[in-house]
Amino acid sequence: AAMMPSHHGDQRAAALPGDAVPESCLPEAATEPPGRLVVLGDNAAWSHDSRQLGYLPGERLLGVVVRRLAGS
């Protein structure tokens, strides 16, 4: 199974378990399997995300951004 690199980065969840996976994320678009996430970076040309890695294990999630602070 593919794993995220050891550095941390902000990615947005494109699909959660049970969601339909957008075709633009994975060639084998289907329904998100239990315990897995599809994540995308904001810069498709430079992001290392589910487009390259496929489904990622949910236990790799470190936190959730609720909102950005002013000036960030």
Side-chain angles (χ1 to χ4, degrees):
M3 299 300 288
M4 289 289 286
S6 59
H7 68 277
H8 299 155
D10 296 335
Q11 304 286 325
R12 60 187 160 85
L16 301 174
D19 288 348
V21 176
E23 289 183 28
S24 62
C25 297
L26 296 171
E28 69 278 358
T31 301
E32 186 78 15
R36 299 290 181 174
L37 302 171
V38 170
V39 297
L40 298 175
D42 289 333
N43 185 337
W46 292 98
S47 291
H48 196 64
D49 55 30
S50 290
R51 289 172 282 218
Q52 295 83 29
L53 301 170
Y55 296 108
L56 300 174
E59 65 266 9
R60 296 295 303 253
L61 179 67
L62 296 177
V64 176
V65 175
V66 177
R67 65 181 170 153
R68 291 183 178 201
L69 299 175
S72 319

